Amino acid sequence: MNAPATTDLPVVVIGAGPAGLAAAAHLVERGIEPLVLEAGPAAGAAVREWAHVRLFSTWGEVTDPAAEKLLAPTGWTKPDAATYPSGGDWAEQYLQPLADALGDRVRYGAKVTGVSRTGRDRIVDADRDTQPFVLHLTTADGGEERLFARAVIDASGTWTTPSPAGASGLPALGEKSAADRVTYRVPDFKDPAVRARYAGKRTAVIGSGASAFTALAYLADLAKAEDGSGTHALWILRRGISGSTFGGGNADQLPARGALGLAAKAAVDSGHADAVTGFRTEAIERDSDSRLVLVGEDGRRLDPVDEVIVLTGFRPDLAFLSEIRLGLDERLQAPLELAPLIDPNQHSCGTVYPHGHRELSHPEQGVYLAGMKSYGRAPTFLALTGYEQVRSIAAALAGDTDSADRVELTLPETGVCGGAGLFDQPEAAEETGGGCCAAPATLTIGAPASSGGC
């Protein structure tokens, strides 16, 4: 089958999450036909997997202007901008209605398995830029299809590729065979089956970020509950404990994150969790009772645990892009021009200034990584940053270079962070607030934020 003329083809967007659906909305606004391919059965499939977790950011910080315009004729009403959605709220009250408004421009159960140039593998130069993109995908019934596109925006995120327990970046020896006792997500302790899995058990939590704080706090709450007697956590830290281990506490510029750190510290101080420092996991073994024993690179063997929660971050799945010429930073696996702006060794969410199509471009013209996937292995991402990315990309694809280059992002005076918070009650979220990283109200390329750590 010959590929149709490039000008007659849609822009394919991979992923019906926040950035992907916003990209489709901006393309529609520009008169460009999008086709969103979502591997899951509904919009925001990844978000729904952490439906029980509440966002740090308010509703006013997690919706896109072009998406709101598309939703307006449907009778959609924006939730109170000052309140905090859970992942489930975000999916049901915004992402799914947005996907419904896009109609048949969104396909579910469509997993992209490969992207290339029609008739050109990554080696061939001849007429490469004039060939449309070709995408291979599998459908929910196991069938295979081939689609063509004028451009590709990969907003598939990183949720499906969590980092392993092994400190080297590779799975620890025995990690895969222990899969029945290992999870890479913050468990939903309100689910009776999940609660029963951890109640009265000894659980290792590997990681040092907000997700690890959340898991420790949840386990401590379970230990204090009537049905959780005997629950205990072992907190595995690759570094030692310092003044910054638990975040900024009450002084944290993101109060909700500060509250998480304080909750984790309380779990340790109260004896519901023990911290093991300087431990780099090399192997996970089973003892004679089928419990798990963590072995460190230094030879240390920890007392057996029943469960392991690995919260060491995420990484992008680049396998299906292997025939595309990407320009990626060798460390972060983010676009080369973007990587210096998001290097976690130097930046936080408040000091990463906005960026657009130029920073997100690759040697392969017409392909973009957007949303969380654009950050590669960098851990901090803002929903509003992703919305600005796709606005700029849509403008560039429409030939409006002036608009595409005019990259601006308006933030609340306190700034925002797109993360997950430990909020069981909306009232608590309202009290703690959702801002972080004090930054200028409007950020423009060339004017990085002046202060703040997130």
Side-chain angles (χ1 to χ4, degrees), residues 19 153-158 315-318 321 327-329 332-343 352 355-356 359-362 368-382 385-387 389-390 393:
I153 300 173
D154 181 0
S156 58
T158 58
R315 55 187 61 179
D317 176 9
L318 301 168
L321 300 174
L328 298 174
D329 178 76
L332 296 184
Q333 295 180 300
L336 284 168
E337 295 298 319
L338 176 61
L341 310 182
I342 62 174
D343 185 343
V352 176
H355 47 274
E359 290 81 6
L360 298 169
S361 63
H362 294 275
Y368 300 93
L369 307 186
M372 189 67 219
K373 189 162 186 178
S374 70
Y375 269 41
R377 298 195 185 196
T380 310
F381 188 75
L382 303 164
T385 298
Y387 297 155
Q389 286 180 341
V390 297
I393 291 169

